[in-house]
Amino acid sequence: MPGSDGSTALGRGVREALSGMRGAVREHVPLAPLTHLRIGGPADWFVEPSGEEDVALVVATCRELGLPLYLLGGGSNVVIADAGLRGVVMQLGSLGRIAREQHRVTVGAGVSLPSLLRATKEAGLAGLEVLTGIPAQVGGAVAMNAGTRDGETFDRLVSVTVVENDGRLAERGKDQLTPRYRDGGLGAAVVVQATFELTPDDPAAIFARFSASLKARNATQPVSQRSVGCVFRNPPGDKAGRLIEAAGCKTLQRGGLSVSARHANYLVNDDTGSAAEFRALLREVRDRVRARFGVALEPEVKFWGFDDPELPPGCLDFGRS
Ligand SMILES: Cc1cc2nc3c(=O)[nH]c(=O)nc-3n(C[C@H](O)[C@H](O)[C@H](O)COP(=O)(O)OP(=O)(O)OC[C@H]3O[C@@H](n4cnc5c(N)ncnc54)[C@H](O)[C@@H]3O)c2cc1C
């Protein structure tokens, strides 16, 4: 029941449970500005823990109170429902440390990939430039095993520090993880830090590779428009973009969302689109490709807060260990 200040028992419980957390706790926070697509309603609760122990406290609290917990990285691969999210959204922007020991770099999950690439290039350490142009945070890049045709995040990964879904901090070596194409295989663990082994090289040579990748990307992808990057995984031996184009989807539009004329595996938002329109357009594209080629395209993008049995809920699964 709402108290005299409008607060609910659950709200008071959340505040009380998180009172020991260092960092920010806010209510009713709009999420659209925190996503690349600029779509989605508000979060009931939005938390930005200061350190790893604070992340652990948030995980343990949500598990204990039975609250859905969503982990938002750079927001470049999520579509958030128009009605927003019930529960807690956590972002790790405060975990922003970059430390170097010889050719190894240990990075906080909240560091943006472009900042990390800049730092390693300046330090004359090569290997991460295959990730040029991916607008992720390090935690999101590891969770998704983000990559390009030149390589992926796990190529140079040595280990990660995670908060398990029971709130324990743990170190996992690469050999204890089972990454797949666009999936780091971390289950319900929260990445708080990652270590990469890099190769010494001339900063000018690293910069040249970086620039070439960026140029190729700018020429073929709608980088200046609002999107989530490629919406479907490439099926084995083929390209989702090629199938979508060949199925005649390039002119499709639903409200403010349309299939990009530049790259058919991108759905772009003209700033007026909604999550419902994104979902409808994605369905239409998937159905047309299935009807024309018999291929069931699998979404790479994550949908959060949709009341739809076809879609996983997107929050951490406290049922798994
Ligand atoms: C213009 C554009 C271009 C893109 N190009 C590429 C590309 O070339 N290659 C590619 O692979 N992707 C690409 N993407 C998609 C996207 O950048 C990647 O999927 C990226 O890994 C998402 O990282 P993020 O930090 O933005 O995570 P979010 O989008 O915020 O979250 C994605 C998933 O990761 C989880 N997650 C986030 N942080 C953590 C954490 N600390 N611990 C555990 N789980 C976490 C979230 O819960 C969610 O399930 C592109 C996107 C855009 C908008």
Side-chain angles (χ1 to χ4, degrees):
M1 178 186 294
S4 55
D5 59 354
S7 62
T8 60
L10 181 60
R12 289 191 294 274
V14 173
R15 276 214 177 275
E16 202 178 298
L18 293 181
S19 58
M21 188 199 89
R22 293 169 306 145
V25 180
R26 289 185 285 148
E27 267 183 274
H28 311 305
V29 173
L31 294 172
L34 303 177
T35 70
H36 275 256
L37 202 54
R38 297 291 192 275
I39 279 176
D44 284 351
W45 293 89
F46 187 81
V47 299
E48 295 169 283
S50 296
E52 294 172 358
E53 294 76 17
D54 306 296
V55 174
L57 178 65
V58 174
V59 172
T61 299
C62 289
R63 185 185 173 111
E64 202 170 300
L65 296 179
L67 281 172
L69 173 61
Y70 297 86
L71 193 58
L72 186 66
S76 62
N77 203 37
V78 291
V79 181
I80 295 172
D82 298 310
L85 299 173
R86 308 292 68 83
V88 177
V89 174
M90 173 162 67
Q91 202 173 35
L92 307 182
S94 302
L95 306 187
R97 197 174 75 102
I98 303 181
R100 176 184 175 184
E101 207 181 317
Q102 302 214 350
H103 307 148
R104 284 197 174 187
V105 184
T106 296
V107 199
V111 172
S112 83
L113 218 44
S115 310
L116 176 61
L117 263 58
R118 215 173 306 123
T120 52
K121 181 200 69 188
E122 279 162 16
L125 292 173
L128 293 179
E129 59 278 15
V130 297
L131 306 178
T132 298
I134 303 178
Q137 289 184 354
V138 166
V142 173
M144 295 294 301
N145 190 16
T148 63
R149 61 180 177 192
D150 298 324
E152 51 192 22
T153 305
F154 270 67
D155 293 348
R156 297 298 185 130
L157 191 83
V158 176
S159 63
V160 288
T161 308
V162 295
V163 172
E164 306 283 7
N165 72 2
D166 59 3
R168 269 181 310 120
L169 266 167
E171 176 98 6
R172 291 200 208 166
K174 186 176 174 176
D175 56 347
Q176 294 168 285
L177 300 168
T178 46
R180 295 188 306 139
Y181 168 66
R182 302 299 168 262
D183 177 5
L186 287 148
V190 177
V191 179
V192 289
Q193 183 173 278
T195 298
F196 299 93
E197 175 83 32
L198 304 176
T199 311
D201 199 354
D202 175 11
I206 302 172
F207 183 68
R209 288 195 292 276
F210 172 86
S211 298
S213 300
L214 213 52
K215 204 167 157 198
R217 187 180 275 267
N218 290 346
T220 54
Q221 298 174 17
V223 289
S224 59
Q225 287 177 285
R226 308 211 176 284
S227 77
V228 288
C230 291
V231 288
F232 293 106
R233 296 163 191 269
N234 286 324
D238 211 334
K239 296 268 181 221
R242 189 196 73 75
L243 293 167
I244 296 167
E245 190 165 351
C249 299
K250 258 202 165 171
T251 52
L252 287 181
Q253 187 175 356
R254 285 285 174 283
L257 269 304
S258 56
V259 176
S260 162
R262 185 169 275 199
H263 190 310
N265 201 11
Y266 277 62
L267 304 187
V268 293
N269 177 18
D270 70 1
D271 270 341
T272 67
S274 66
E277 288 163 359
F278 188 102
R279 174 77 179 125
L281 185 57
L282 181 125
R283 264 204 171 114
E284 172 85 35
V285 168
R286 184 200 59 187
D287 292 351
R288 285 199 184 203
V289 168
R290 189 187 286 144
R292 174 91 162 75
F293 298 108
V295 175
L297 290 178
E298 201 191 323
E300 181 174 319
V301 57
K302 309 282 184 191
F303 288 91
W304 287 0
F306 285 71
D307 190 14
D308 182 336
E310 264 188 37
L311 301 172
C315 47
L316 291 198
D317 184 353
F318 292 121
R320 279 184 278 159
S321 56

